[in-house]
Amino acid sequence: MAAGTLTGKVALVSGAGRGIGRAVAERLAREGALIVINDMDEEPAEQAAQAVRDAGSEALTCVGSVTSADFAERFVSTAIDGFGGLDIVVNNAGYTWDAVIQKMTDEQWNAVLEVHLHAPFRILRAALPHFKAAAKAEGEAGRPVHRKVVNISSLAGLGGNAGQSNYATAKAGIVGLTKTLAKEWGRYRVNVNAVAFGMISTRLTADHGRPEAWIDVEGRQVRVGIPSNVIDGAAGLIPLGRAGTPAEAAGSVYLLCTPDADYVTGEVLSCGGGLAL
């Protein structure tokens, strides 16, 4: 078993089969956390789970769409039944489906809000009874414990982004949810924070003209990524001069999961190399 700052903690990480989510799962695992991996597809979920085991920790998988009606309860139950508790929730799952507003369909709008905002709400609602029960028991025993929620937002949610009214609205909503739950859940010693990512090198920020930019989302073919000319110009806008890596993105999430962040709640940490939209 890996030993570190999160030894024995149980973490849910949605969208952990690839990209930032997988990097977060591996980072928390290296610090000793037990990870419940979620992805829509079984193969990447199992690959990520094996990476967690290779890092010296333990992993379970909960395959399926975070937007499914029964997902939130199933996700939380996987942690409780499999590992005996729940300490960390990272709401990371999502994708982009871009268009300027006059070309955006109701389907595009609703799908992106569903995955980026409605699903985290349901997951956190399902987690609360366990947080409350644990806080009560630990308080009575005189050994208070802090638990962590890290919601993933975006610089688009803080400043808007052309062509992403659905995504920017969802990510702004996550900020509101984060700040509200920080106020509601402080009594249970749950720290609720968010990380707003800028340009991180994943399939969501790769050239949308490549063949693999088309992904299947519950039977819908969605083109993800951004135009190549935007990618080419992005480095000049980022003070650090480059896009971030998934490992660097994961580091910012990890910071908010550590005991050093026990008195930090209701905050939004920007992780964008200095970029401000």
Side-chain angles (χ1 to χ4, degrees):
M1 173 66 67
T5 56
L6 303 178
T7 297
K9 301 293 185 182
V10 178
L12 300 178
V13 185
S14 68
R18 306 172 176 87
I20 293 171
R22 176 162 170 171
V24 168
E26 292 182 23
R27 183 70 178 92
L28 301 186
R30 288 199 299 273
E31 294 297 331
L34 313 174
I35 313 295
V36 179
I37 300 282
N38 157 256
D39 196 87
M40 288 184 63
D41 303 313
E42 185 171 356
E43 184 176 358
E46 290 296 342
Q47 290 172 346
Q50 187 56 52
V52 165
R53 296 178 190 118
D54 291 343
S57 191
E58 298 179 33
L60 297 171
T61 61
C62 184
V63 177
S65 172
V66 296
T67 66
S68 297
D70 67 341
F71 177 80
E73 286 73 18
R74 186 161 60 87
F75 198 25
V76 171
S77 293
T78 301
I80 301 299
D81 296 343
F83 290 135
L86 178 58
D87 302 283
I88 298 167
V89 178
V90 181
N91 280 308
N92 167 77
Y95 60 94
T96 54
W97 195 0
D98 298 345
V100 291
I101 193 166
Q102 66 270 26
K103 295 182 179 180
M104 184 170 291
T105 65
D106 286 356
E107 182 184 20
Q108 282 176 280
W109 175 269
N110 291 332
V112 170
L113 263 71
E114 186 73 17
V115 70
H116 287 284
L117 185 56
H118 300 170
F121 157 72
R122 295 187 191 107
I123 291 167
L124 294 174
R125 183 176 61 184
L128 180 58
H130 305 283
F131 288 164
K132 288 176 64 175
K136 180 179 180 181
E138 290 154 359
E140 291 173 349
R143 49 178 185 84
V145 174
H146 280 259
R147 287 175 171 78
K148 314 290 183 177
V149 171
V150 182
N151 293 318
I152 302 305
S153 185
S154 167
L155 295 185
L158 304 183
N161 197 31
Q164 291 191 316
S165 59
N166 52 359
Y167 181 73
T169 298
K171 290 307 192 183
I174 276 290
V175 171
L177 180 64
T178 297
K179 291 182 176 292
T180 298
L181 293 188
K183 291 178 169 63
E184 292 185 5
W185 289 7
R187 72 190 74 179
Y188 309 123
R189 294 181 294 277
V190 179
N191 302 84
V192 187
N193 295 292
V195 175
F197 291 129
M199 181 74 76
I200 306 296
S201 295
T202 70
R203 62 178 180 166
L204 299 187
T205 58
D207 181 4
H208 73 176
R210 69 200 194 287
E212 59 271 27
W214 290 92
I215 64 172
D216 183 273
V217 180
E218 298 182 274
R220 294 187 296 255
Q221 292 299 305
V222 176
R223 186 169 72 168
V224 298
I226 55 180
S228 58
N229 64 312
V230 174
I231 297 172
D232 293 340
L237 300 175
I238 300 171
L240 288 182
R242 61 175 177 82
T245 67
E248 289 171 324
S252 64
V253 175
Y254 163 70
L255 289 175
L256 294 173
C257 295
T258 66
D260 288 339
D262 279 356
Y263 201 63
V264 178
T265 196
E267 298 296 333
V268 181
L269 172 64
S270 293
C271 178
L275 177 64
L277 294 179

